[in-house]
């Protein structure tokens, strides 16, 4: 593995972040729920998540990227302090502000429905790890862990209690994860 460069992502990085998440989670049950048609998923998810990460940044999230040269290979997205996390109602309002996701209203509404479920189940832990994603060709090479540790004190956060959300066939709470249907 080449030497990774870690840095906080900015608004200009959001298209690459959207593409990374769409690629990393293409076959994920939650992503298949949002866009059952693979071609629609391939087109809509990068746009939807770029807009979502942009909103996350504007509402206090920390998003750290792991770069190899200029290529974004991994990212970790956190909300801290037990705050409200993803502002679902604000995101719903933005659906009507001319964002590119208006081209995919069914996918957008399903994504919001899923986010409402996640937010309703999420306890207000000290840290909320919203996404930890690594490009498929780079998975298993230790790229996600440094991104999760950077600027977040991940190990300390796990000791203090944190919360992650992911898709599964059952709903179950665990100290560091929740599984949503």
């Amino acid at each position: 593995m080449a030497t990774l460069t870690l840095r906080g992502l900015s608004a200009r990085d959001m298209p690459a972040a959207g593409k990374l998440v769409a690629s990393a989670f293409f076959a994920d049950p939650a992503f298949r729920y949002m866009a059952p048609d693979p071609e629609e998923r391939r087109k809509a998810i990068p746009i939807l998540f770029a807009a979502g990460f942009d909103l996350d940044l504007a509402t206090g999230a920390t998003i750290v990227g792991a770069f190899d040269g200029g290529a974004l290979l991994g990212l970790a997205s956190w909300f801290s302090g037990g705050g409200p996390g993803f502002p679902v109602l604000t995101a719903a309002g933005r659906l009507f502000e001319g964002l590119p996701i208006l081209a995919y209203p069914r996918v957008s509404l399903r994504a919001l429905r899923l986010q409402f479920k996640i937010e309703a189940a999420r306890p207000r832990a000290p840290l909320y790890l919203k996404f930890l994603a690594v490009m498929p060709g780079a998975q298993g090479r230790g790229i996600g862990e440094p991104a999760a540790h950077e600027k977040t004190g991940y190990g300390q956060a796990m000791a203090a209690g944190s919360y992650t959300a992911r898709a599964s066939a059952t709903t179950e709470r665990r100290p560091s994860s929740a599984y949503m249907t």
Side-chain angles (χ1 to χ4, degrees):
M1 177 176 70
T3 302
L4 290 179
T5 302
L6 302 174
R7 69 168 170 81
L9 299 186
S10 66
R12 76 177 190 282
D13 298 309
M14 294 308 104
K19 287 177 184 175
L20 184 154
V21 169
S23 184
F25 293 103
F26 185 79
D28 183 87
F31 283 49
R32 287 195 323 259
Y33 164 78
M34 286 184 271
D37 176 65
E39 188 57 32
E40 184 178 43
R41 190 175 334 135
R42 195 175 323 286
K43 292 176 182 177
I45 296 297
I47 295 168
L48 180 68
F49 277 83
F53 283 136
D54 193 47
L55 182 58
D56 288 351
L57 281 177
T59 56
T62 297
I63 305 175
V64 175
F67 292 84
D68 181 3
L72 178 62
L73 296 182
L75 67 78
S77 173
W78 292 87
F79 282 97
S80 63
F86 185 78
V88 177
L89 294 177
T90 301
R94 286 203 175 179
L95 286 175
F96 303 101
E97 293 180 6
L99 289 176
I101 57 177
L102 285 175
Y104 304 99
R106 184 174 63 110
V107 176
S108 300
L109 292 174
R110 284 176 171 233
L112 285 170
R113 185 179 308 134
L114 184 61
Q115 194 63 48
F116 269 118
K117 285 183 175 183
I118 291 168
E119 287 299 313
R122 179 175 71 85
R124 298 305 184 240
L127 283 177
Y128 168 34
L129 176 60
K130 185 173 179 182
F131 274 99
L132 178 59
V134 176
M135 289 297 274
Q139 291 175 1
R141 296 186 357 215
I143 292 170
E145 186 176 345
H149 284 264
E150 181 71 11
K151 297 184 184 180
T152 61
Y154 178 75
Q156 293 172 357
M158 294 308 290
S162 69
Y163 179 80
T164 61
R166 79 174 201 206
S168 177
T170 63
T171 301
E172 178 182 340
R173 285 193 183 195
R174 294 184 181 174
S176 64
S177 61
Y179 299 83
M180 300 300 299
T181 57

